[in-house]
């Protein structure tokens, strides 16, 4: 019992799970093996891009895409498609870690900001604060300071 005689029930009825965070070198041209394994197994990861951090998965995995949408609150038109070329309006990633992931997994990724519709968070920790333990892996390349668009 508290001072105000109120009782509280936990909002989460399950045990939170540990989410691995891998520190990656922002200039690294190879994909972390663990990230490739997680994506191929239908997982959802947090990854860096030139303008901040995104929550993403393989575009070919419908269940993982649904998880990304649930975690971020993204509508279908708010998902960003990443591919090694600009086919079908896909965004070609600038960050070397994402380019390496695309090469290794052999298919496009889809991603969203967390929360959807906002600017990407500059740190992986800010994304984890929003999505909690709903992701399977976090790739942390440090703070990303996006440059403002040229006028």
């Amino acid at each position: 019992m508290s001072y105000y005689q109120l009782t509280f029930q936990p909002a989460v009825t399950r045990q939170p799970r540990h989410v691995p965070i891998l520190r990656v070198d922002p200039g690294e041209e190879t994909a972390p093996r663990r990230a490739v394994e997680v994506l191929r197994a239908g997982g959802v990861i947090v990854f860096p891009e030139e303008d901040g951090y995104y929550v993403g998965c393989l575009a070919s995995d419908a269940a993982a895409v649904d998880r990304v949408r649930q975690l971020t609150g993204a509508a279908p038109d708010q998902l960003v498609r990443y591919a090694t070329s600009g086919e079908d309006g896909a965004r070609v990633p600038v960050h070397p870690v994402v380019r390496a992931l695309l090469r290794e997994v052999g298919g496009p990724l889809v991603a969203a900001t967390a929360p959807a519709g906002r600017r990407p968070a500059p740190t992986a920790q800010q994304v984890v604060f929003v999505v909690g333990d709903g992701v399977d892996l976090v790739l942390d390349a440090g703070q990303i300071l996006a440059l403002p668009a040229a006028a």
Side-chain angles (χ1 to χ4, degrees):
M1 189 177 332
S2 74
Y3 178 77
Y4 296 104
Q5 299 178 347
L6 299 174
T7 59
F8 298 95
Q9 296 295 322
V12 177
T13 58
R14 61 175 175 74
Q15 287 292 329
R17 63 186 182 96
H18 172 72
V19 177
I21 299 175
L22 292 179
R23 183 85 168 117
V24 293
D25 179 353
E28 183 62 49
E29 294 287 338
T30 59
R33 181 174 44 210
R34 180 73 181 122
V36 173
E37 291 169 356
V38 166
L39 288 170
R40 286 183 177 159
V44 173
I45 68 170
V46 173
F47 63 85
E49 209 350 17
E50 67 174 333
D51 55 348
Y53 284 86
Y54 289 81
V55 178
C57 65
L58 282 176
S60 60
D61 190 320
V65 173
D66 284 342
R67 277 182 61 202
V68 168
R69 291 189 55 224
Q70 288 174 2
L71 288 168
T72 63
D77 65 339
Q78 291 177 310
L79 295 174
V80 178
R81 184 177 177 92
Y82 286 96
T84 54
S85 65
E87 80 250 4
D88 299 326
R91 183 173 167 183
V92 178
V94 173
H95 203 285
V97 171
V98 184
R99 288 195 313 258
L101 278 174
L102 287 171
R103 280 193 309 269
E104 291 292 321
V105 298
L109 301 175
V110 293
T113 59
R118 301 256 174 95
R119 291 181 59 130
T123 67
Q125 290 79 9
Q126 288 173 308
V127 176
V128 172
F129 182 77
V130 173
V131 298
D133 65 353
V135 295
D136 302 302
L137 180 70
V138 176
L139 299 179
D140 185 355
Q143 186 172 4
I144 296 175
L145 301 173
L147 299 174

